[in-house]
Amino acid sequence: EVQLVESGGGLVKPGGSLRLSCAASGFSFSSYTMYWVRQAPGKGLEWVSYISSSSSYIYYADSVKGRFTISRDNVKKSLYLQMNSLRAEDTAVYYCARDALEGDYDLQSDGMDVWGQGTTVTVSS
Amino acid sequence: EIVLTQSPGTLSLSPGERATLSCRASQSVSSDLAWYQHKPGQAPRLLVYGASSRATGIPDRFSGSGSGTDFTLTISRLEAEDFAVYYCQQYGSSPNTFGQGTKLEI
């Protein structure tokens, strides 16, 4: 079964750090672009970051650029999001997602076809 | 950054009716647009990519159209499980962006 499972969410104080993980199974993880997408309470989906299959291409939303770092370990079949200098507005459910297009591309996509169930990050004092 | 504007914000319809959802981009995204369905407590579900290609396993009552700046998701005959929030997303340039969503309610 193709599956993504996020972990690492929790309560953190403003200015703190957190590292999210996403464990992949049931598919050739090293062949797919991966994403982080978030949804703040009562808000819509927000694209956060993108990493190509070989880690050659990496992009961030302006709202997190310079504070968040996306990475992946293709041997461990895992995706990560290191979040530093956290703010209240980073409070959200964070989803990892897979691109439907297999291969190493720069911004080519067939949409995000596999999603995890999400992990909740709360930034509050 | 490309801004996607979805309309209407809320669409109230009944099962069996036809739903037409709109997504307008602030600049051309060619056909680099996807549609997702999102229900509370669940992961989003990919419906359409490339503006008009149905994703694997998606019923043919869902169809996408458009290119450039104007896109439409049509649900031909609404079923009870179709009531959800729908998002468009452009992936032609970074940052990728989502629209603000259209809530489809009974």
Side-chain angles (χ1 to χ4, degrees):
Chain A
E1 180 191 4
V2 174
Q3 196 172 12
L4 296 172
V5 179
E6 302 94 337
S7 61
L11 174 64
V12 60
K13 289 181 168 54
S17 297
L18 213 52
R19 188 194 197 206
L20 304 184
S21 298
C22 171
S25 59
F27 66 99
S28 179
F29 178 76
S30 62
S31 297
Y32 291 87
T33 289
M34 298 295 296
Y35 301 84
W36 288 101
V37 175
R38 69 185 180 183
Q39 184 177 34
K43 303 293 186 182
L45 299 175
E46 181 186 12
W47 179 91
V48 173
S49 188
Y50 164 118
I51 185 167
S52 65
S53 60
S54 68
S55 303
S56 297
Y57 307 103
I58 288 176
Y59 298 97
Y60 298 98
D62 290 345
S63 58
V64 307
K65 199 175 295 182
R67 300 188 299 122
F68 289 13
T69 302
I70 191 171
S71 62
R72 63 191 295 162
D73 185 329
N74 286 344
V75 174
K76 293 183 178 179
K77 295 188 175 184
S78 292
L79 175 73
Y80 306 102
L81 187 68
Q82 177 66 44
M83 304 186 296
N84 298 331
S85 304
L86 282 161
R87 306 167 180 167
E89 54 265 35
D90 296 318
T91 294
V93 176
Y94 284 74
Y95 297 97
C96 65
R98 183 192 84 168
D99 200 291
L101 183 63
E102 187 172 0
D104 192 39
Y105 301 104
D106 183 14
L107 289 177
Q108 285 186 254
S109 174
D110 279 350
M112 303 177 212
D113 68 336
V114 180
W115 295 68
Q117 284 302 308
T119 187
T120 300
V121 173
T122 303
V123 184
S124 175
S125 53
Chain B
E1 172 177 318
I2 296 176
V3 176
L4 298 179
T5 302
Q6 293 186 239
S7 61
T10 302
L11 187 57
S12 299
L13 293 170
S14 300
E17 290 191 298
R18 180 186 187 92
T20 303
L21 288 67
S22 175
C23 176
R24 176 165 288 178
S26 58
Q27 61 190 82
S28 178
V29 300
S30 186
S31 294
D32 295 332
L33 189 110
W35 289 94
Y36 299 86
Q37 177 192 70
H38 195 199
K39 297 180 181 179
Q42 297 185 17
R45 177 190 184 196
L46 175 66
L47 301 173
V48 169
Y49 66 94
S52 60
S53 297
R54 259 190 308 276
T56 302
I58 300 303
D60 61 7
R61 65 179 183 275
F62 291 90
S63 62
S65 63
S67 66
T69 61
D70 289 295
F71 301 88
T72 300
L73 176 71
T74 302
I75 311 172
S76 58
R77 295 170 308 279
L78 284 167
E79 298 192 5
E81 64 261 31
D82 298 336
F83 292 92
V85 180
Y86 291 81
Y87 296 93
C88 56
Q89 178 229 352
Q90 68 81 19
Y91 47 83
S93 65
S94 179
N96 291 182
T97 45
F98 285 93
Q100 83 279 17
T102 290
K103 182 178 181 181
L104 180 55
E105 64 177 24
I106 298 177

